[in-house]
Amino acid sequence: MSASPRRLVILISGRGSNMQALAEACRAGRIPAQVAAVVSNRPDVEGLHRAAALGIPTAVVDHTAFPSREAFDAALLEEVQNHEPDLVALAGFMRILTAAFVSPLLGRILNIHPSLLPKYPGLDTHRRALEAGDREAGATVHFVTEALDGGPPILRVRVPIHPDDTPESLAARVLAWEHPLYVEAVRLVAAGRVRWTPGGVMFDGAPLPREGLEFTGTPL
Ligand code: GRF
């Protein structure tokens, strides 16, 4: 990675609340990075308006305009590379990425997923956790590989499930934890404390546990 501050590009598809949490933490100096751009695969989403209001450059690469996933990924990669990112954060980005996008950026792409991975990759995580009778839910920030929600976890937070929870009430409780969780994970990677190496992910010079680190609300 180049000298500080790191350049962070954030990919979104919708609301953009995680993007906003990251952008505000960068601006406040809590993450040693600056948001170089916010890129959406959907035009006119709330997250683009939030980014513009924060004075962050925005771009749209509309996936419906491309004949194949590979063509979209190539165009997305070009847009992202134009901003010379040290790090790329997927924040509610709802497209599956192929090797065409992931390989050139391997070890520099993070994602946040609203479950305790490896449980419940993919969609509908809160409904699935409730249907399974789980007592706790959570969220995970992980490095992105070609495996959907399958790259190495960096940081996870556990969130209690209440007996009267609906998918919506649980999603809201988890989302409130996602924001500080993502800020802490990006901070650790931007500061070089968590590093992707060919032999595995390292934390402060030692191998990271397979399920990632545990976040309880206080900085590591
Ligand atoms: C979050 O729950 C995130 O974990 C999931 O999609 C949601 C995005 O929310 N992948 P927002 O766009 O960051 O508000």
Side-chain angles (χ1 to χ4, degrees), residues 54-68:
L54 288 161
I56 298 167
T58 62
V60 174
V61 182
D62 184 346
H63 65 277
T64 64
F66 295 88
S68 67

Side-chain angles (χ1 to χ4, degrees), residues 14-19 91-94 112-114 175 178-179:
R15 180 176 54 190
S17 71
N18 279 289
M19 177 282 299
F93 183 71
M94 302 303 285
I112 187 162
H113 183 75
L175 185 69
E178 288 185 42
H179 300 158

Side-chain angles (χ1 to χ4, degrees), residues 127-210:
R127 185 185 53 74
R128 288 155 70 198
L130 292 177
E131 282 176 5
D134 290 357
R135 306 274 295 276
E136 66 175 4
T140 306
V141 177
H142 64 95
F143 281 111
V144 172
T145 64
E146 281 171 66
L148 175 66
D149 300 322
I154 298 169
L155 194 62
R156 301 195 308 176
V157 66
R158 297 174 188 279
V159 178
I161 291 179
H162 297 171
D164 58 349
D165 263 333
T166 62
E168 292 72 28
S169 66
L170 180 56
R173 188 175 315 114
V174 171
L175 185 69
W177 276 101
E178 288 185 42
H179 300 158
L181 177 81
Y182 214 176
V183 167
E184 178 64 2
V186 174
R187 185 181 79 80
L188 291 171
V189 177
R193 291 183 60 197
V194 168
R195 284 191 307 118
W196 170 286
T197 75
V201 180
M202 307 294 283
F203 171 56
D204 284 347
L208 194 78
R210 217 154 69 98

Side-chain angles (χ1 to χ4, degrees), residues 1-201:
M1 268 190 235
S2 60
S4 283
R6 313 291 194 220
R7 292 175 63 80
L8 174 64
V9 169
I10 306 178
L11 304 191
I12 62 167
S13 298
R15 180 176 54 190
S17 71
N18 279 289
M19 177 282 299
Q20 182 161 356
L22 292 175
E24 287 175 349
C26 289
R27 191 154 292 177
R30 285 184 285 126
I31 296 175
Q34 65 176 79
V35 183
V38 168
V39 182
S40 174
N41 68 303
R42 291 205 186 104
D44 204 37
V45 292
E46 185 185 349
L48 287 169
H49 299 295
R50 291 187 192 220
L54 288 161
I56 298 167
T58 62
V60 174
V61 182
D62 184 346
H63 65 277
T64 64
F66 295 88
S68 67
R69 209 175 270 286
E70 287 71 21
F72 166 70
D73 278 13
L76 183 67
L77 179 66
E78 190 178 339
E79 176 62 43
V80 167
Q81 298 280 42
N82 282 341
H83 302 285
E84 301 180 345
D86 297 297
L87 273 178
V88 176
L90 312 185
F93 183 71
M94 302 303 285
R95 301 293 298 172
I96 292 171
L97 293 164
T98 67
F101 185 88
V102 174
S103 295
L105 294 165
L106 191 68
R108 291 189 286 145
I109 317 174
L110 310 184
N111 180 43
I112 187 162
H113 183 75
S115 78
L116 287 171
L117 289 173
K119 266 191 160 180
Y120 312 128
L123 297 175
D124 249 348
T125 56
H126 305 299
R127 185 185 53 74
R128 288 155 70 198
L130 292 177
E131 282 176 5
D134 290 357
R135 306 274 295 276
E136 66 175 4
T140 306
V141 177
H142 64 95
F143 281 111
V144 172
T145 64
E146 281 171 66
L148 175 66
D149 300 322
I154 298 169
L155 194 62
R156 301 195 308 176
V157 66
R158 297 174 188 279
V159 178
I161 291 179
H162 297 171
D164 58 349
D165 263 333
T166 62
E168 292 72 28
S169 66
L170 180 56
R173 188 175 315 114
V174 171
L175 185 69
W177 276 101
E178 288 185 42
H179 300 158
L181 177 81
Y182 214 176
V183 167
E184 178 64 2
V186 174
R187 185 181 79 80
L188 291 171
V189 177
R193 291 183 60 197
V194 168
R195 284 191 307 118
W196 170 286
T197 75
V201 180

